[in-house]
Amino acid sequence: MPDHIRYLDTATVVDLLERIDVVEVVEAALKLHASGRAVLPEEAYLRWTAGDGWARSLTLPAALGAPPYAAGVKVINGNTSNPGRGIDRASGLVLLFDVLTGQVSTIMAAAPLSAIRTAAVSIAGLRRLTARPIEQAVVIGAGPIGEAHVQLLGTTIPTVRIIWIHDSDINRAAGIAERARVGDVEVRVVSDRAAALRTSEVVIAATTSAKAHLGVTDVAPGTVVVNVGLDDCDRNLLLKADHLVVDSWDLVAGDTNRLLGQLIKDGLVVHSGNPTPAASPQRVCAELGHLVAGTVTIRPGWNDRVVLNPFGMAVNDIAVATVVEQMAKSADCGQHLRP
């Protein structure tokens, strides 16, 4: 049993993450969730008024395995005005627990882990939802999550030639293009995203916008859209997509703060298992974990529009954090804190 709490700061977490195949870890966690060998309670959502708008805090617990071989919680806080203060929009901590005693065993910086696991979920989906080879991709939103997507798109999908990066702040987009380490893949800043949208097989929508800005006519036939920001896709795109996939039906349906949850509440979107009349509403055709596990298969047509709406499951955070913790123990890195 631990007699100390290990603390891993941002730099240490980033270093350890670079040694991990995060997509492989996330896919294993998705399979566990799909097979019922994970515990995923509802997140706790706290929002308050700040001096220049609003801030929010999310608390996401999860356990993996049966019996659990890993358990913990991620707390991630943010304010969209933070970049104007010269600080990151989001920050937080992951706490991992000793599964025997329940004591906190490790605390680590959450932001870099959260960004890369979000991108890893997108990659897991793209591997199973694209009918066309992915040669071009558009990333909308030049924050840490957008940057993580650029990195994984360029390093895990061998057919990618060009990644377009678009942001309302062109300097932020240019910074990602300059920092990108993706081999021979071109990372280009684009101010007029419409042209890039017409030629790309994948759109990663990863902004903090509370107003939808992607409609069905903005997206070319045959495109896979990953609705990372959850509020980037408008109702027509969600309702008229040829295939609509989520990571967790329960989490998406339970959150009526987001558009898809509202559409489910209004009966306009239903689960694929629900019997519906002939003039049926939009169906969520699968959860991502079942696609990864191979228990459900989707074969989009060449011109089908596909939307993946990943709400964000803490099982993925805890799975990746557990591997980071194991590596930190092996290297004996981080600080030891006395409880």
Side-chain angles (χ1 to χ4, degrees):
M1 290 182 287
D3 61 355
H4 62 269
I5 298 172
R6 188 181 302 272
Y7 173 70
L8 306 176
D9 62 15
T10 297
T12 303
V13 172
V14 170
D15 177 62
L16 295 173
L17 285 170
E18 290 178 349
R19 309 179 201 180
I20 297 171
D21 186 338
V22 181
V23 179
E24 181 180 49
V25 175
V26 162
E27 289 189 343
L30 289 167
K31 289 179 183 178
L32 283 173
H33 178 256
S35 66
R37 292 179 291 161
V39 181
L40 184 64
E42 292 184 9
E43 71 175 24
Y45 182 94
L46 174 65
R47 174 170 169 156
W48 65 91
T49 301
D52 52 358
W54 60 271
R56 64 105 174 99
S57 175
L58 303 177
T59 302
L60 303 96
L64 292 163
Y69 66 79
V73 62
K74 180 179 79 170
V75 179
I76 193 83
N77 297 357
N79 186 321
T80 56
S81 300
N82 283 347
R85 302 183 177 94
I87 60 176
D88 290 337
R89 178 186 66 85
S91 64
L93 296 170
V94 173
L95 283 72
L96 295 179
F97 310 146
D98 181 280
V99 294
L100 178 63
T101 67
Q103 292 179 304
V104 175
S105 59
T106 299
I107 300 172
M108 68 183 72
L113 186 150
S114 187
I116 199 69
R117 75 88 169 131
T118 300
V121 170
S122 298
I123 298 299
L126 293 177
R127 287 176 172 176
R128 293 157 177 89
L129 293 171
T130 50
R132 306 164 179 255
I134 303 172
E135 296 186 352
Q136 298 187 50
V138 183
V139 176
I140 303 174
I145 290 176
E147 185 162 10
H149 277 85
V150 169
Q151 186 64 29
L152 285 191
L153 282 166
T155 56
T156 66
I157 300 181
T159 55
V160 171
R161 298 184 297 105
I162 300 172
I163 301 172
W164 305 94
I165 180 74
H166 173 80
D167 195 273
S168 57
D169 184 340
I170 197 168
N171 292 324
R172 283 165 60 90
I176 290 180
E178 291 170 5
R179 292 189 297 272
R181 295 175 290 127
V182 289
D184 296 330
V185 177
E186 295 182 61
V187 181
R188 301 180 184 176
V189 177
V190 59
S191 55
D192 178 9
R193 71 181 195 180
L197 288 172
R198 285 194 296 269
T199 60
S200 297
E201 293 80 25
V202 167
V203 177
I204 305 294
T207 80
T208 58
S209 175
K211 183 178 180 181
H213 55 88
L214 269 180
V216 69
T217 58
D218 297 315
V219 179
T223 302
V224 179
V225 180
V226 186
N227 189 27
V228 178
L230 298 178
D231 286 323
D232 292 304
C233 296
D234 72 11
R235 62 186 288 126
N236 284 331
L237 180 52
L238 294 174
L239 293 176
K240 294 182 179 180
D242 296 288
H243 306 277
L244 178 60
V245 177
V246 300
D247 52 355
S248 168
W249 169 265
D250 290 338
L251 289 181
V252 171
D255 177 35
T256 55
N257 293 307
R258 305 292 190 178
L259 177 57
L260 185 51
Q262 295 169 11
L263 295 175
I264 292 171
K265 180 182 178 182
D266 293 341
L268 299 175
V269 176
V270 299
H271 193 277
S272 59
N274 288 4
T276 56
S280 62
Q282 174 66 290
R283 289 174 178 265
V284 168
C285 56
E287 291 187 5
L288 180 56
H290 293 289
L291 296 179
V292 175
T295 55
V296 175
T297 301
I298 297 174
R299 293 184 174 87
W302 193 259
N303 289 315
D304 287 352
R305 292 180 176 90
V306 180
V307 175
L308 171 61
N309 190 96
F311 188 83
M313 298 194 303
V315 292
N316 299 317
D317 298 283
I318 301 308
V320 175
T322 297
V323 177
V324 169
E325 179 188 53
Q326 292 167 350
M327 296 183 67
K329 288 180 177 178
S330 296
D332 195 23
C333 59
Q335 302 176 38
H336 290 187
L337 308 176
R338 297 295 174 185

